[in-house]
Amino acid sequence: MAGYGLRPVGAGYAGLSGYNNGGFVEVPISTDAAVDIFAGDFVEWVNDASGSGSAGVVRQANNATGETPNTTDTTFGVAIGFRYVTSAGTPTWSQFYDQSSSNTDAYAFVCTDPNQIYLIQSDGATTIENVGSNAPIDGFAVNEASSTLGLSGIQLDHSNIAVTAADCLRIVGIPDSGSNRSSTTPDVLVRINTGVLFSDQGTGIV
């Protein structure tokens, strides 16, 4: 089941009020971005003097298993769009970044507000009893995203909902719209639970 990643919304506990990214920043994409990046993906800051990246750039954020950002990642925010110049010299604006070492002037538009509410699809029957819990995500594999729609494939990992502090999402609500709350794969309101822009993340990137 394909998801749509993290979608920034204006939201309250019982519902939501449309797409609202709360403002975004334009950040260069790392030259070592080895995979495509999609709207709705987490991105991380890179500051690596060894040559695998440069200060002040971003790439898709995922841990060693390719599944979920956690406290060891420098999660910066959520990508909502991209611009870059192809090897043919064509300026391109897109909902996904078509990774190529030949691209130039590549930038991601990133929603960075640490208080932003996001909508994400759950891969299981998440209910209002789960509000307040933490959860990881799954679906980071490239083939679970859509280059046609430009949307991420990540979803809330229902089977691993827990109190684990390192999990990347905090569940804050289940929209009460239509049959959503009774769905086996409902849309869920979440906040990013870890990230470099939170005031309690005192360790800088290296």
Side-chain angles (χ1 to χ4, degrees), residues 24 35 45 47 59 138 159 169 171-172 175 181 184:
F24 61 87
V35 297
W45 258 337
N47 184 5
R59 63 187 175 195
D138 61 16
S159 63
L169 299 178
I171 299 170
V172 299
R181 286 191 176 178
T184 57

Side-chain angles (χ1 to χ4, degrees), residues 92-176:
T92 301
W93 285 261
S94 177
Q95 283 204 139
F96 87 103
Y97 178 62
D98 191 1
Q99 187 278 329
S100 170
S101 59
S102 299
N103 292 340
T104 59
D105 295 324
Y107 293 85
F109 307 131
V110 183
C111 181
T112 59
D113 183 354
N115 295 310
Q116 177 68 53
I117 302 294
Y118 296 91
L119 194 69
I120 188 171
Q121 187 174 24
S122 173
D123 65 4
T126 303
T127 68
I128 57 174
E129 284 76 18
N130 298 125
V131 171
S133 297
N134 295 337
I137 56 174
D138 61 16
F140 245 126
V142 172
N143 60 3
E144 296 185 60
S146 171
S147 57
T148 301
L149 299 176
L151 297 177
S152 171
I154 64 175
Q155 303 165 10
L156 186 144
D157 185 357
H158 173 78
S159 63
N160 285 302
I161 291 175
V163 298
T164 307
D167 286 343
C168 60
L169 299 178
R170 171 69 54 85
I171 299 170
V172 299
I174 312 292
D176 185 12

Side-chain angles (χ1 to χ4, degrees), residues 26-41:
E26 182 180 84
V27 188
I29 296 173
S30 172
T31 56
D32 75 329
V35 297
D36 296 343
I37 314 172
F38 295 83
D41 273 348

Side-chain angles (χ1 to χ4, degrees), residues 30-104:
S30 172
T31 56
D32 75 329
V35 297
D36 296 343
I37 314 172
F38 295 83
D41 273 348
F42 285 104
V43 291
E44 67 177 352
W45 258 337
V46 181
N47 184 5
D48 191 341
S50 68
S52 62
S54 304
V57 297
V58 295
R59 63 187 175 195
Q60 187 192 63
N62 59 296
N63 68 6
T65 63
E67 290 300 319
T68 173
N70 55 40
T71 52
T72 63
D73 285 314
T74 52
T75 303
F76 181 53
V78 173
I80 59 173
F82 308 89
R83 71 174 178 90
Y84 58 96
V85 177
T86 69
S87 59
T90 304
T92 301
W93 285 261
S94 177
Q95 283 204 139
F96 87 103
Y97 178 62
D98 191 1
Q99 187 278 329
S100 170
S101 59
S102 299
N103 292 340
T104 59

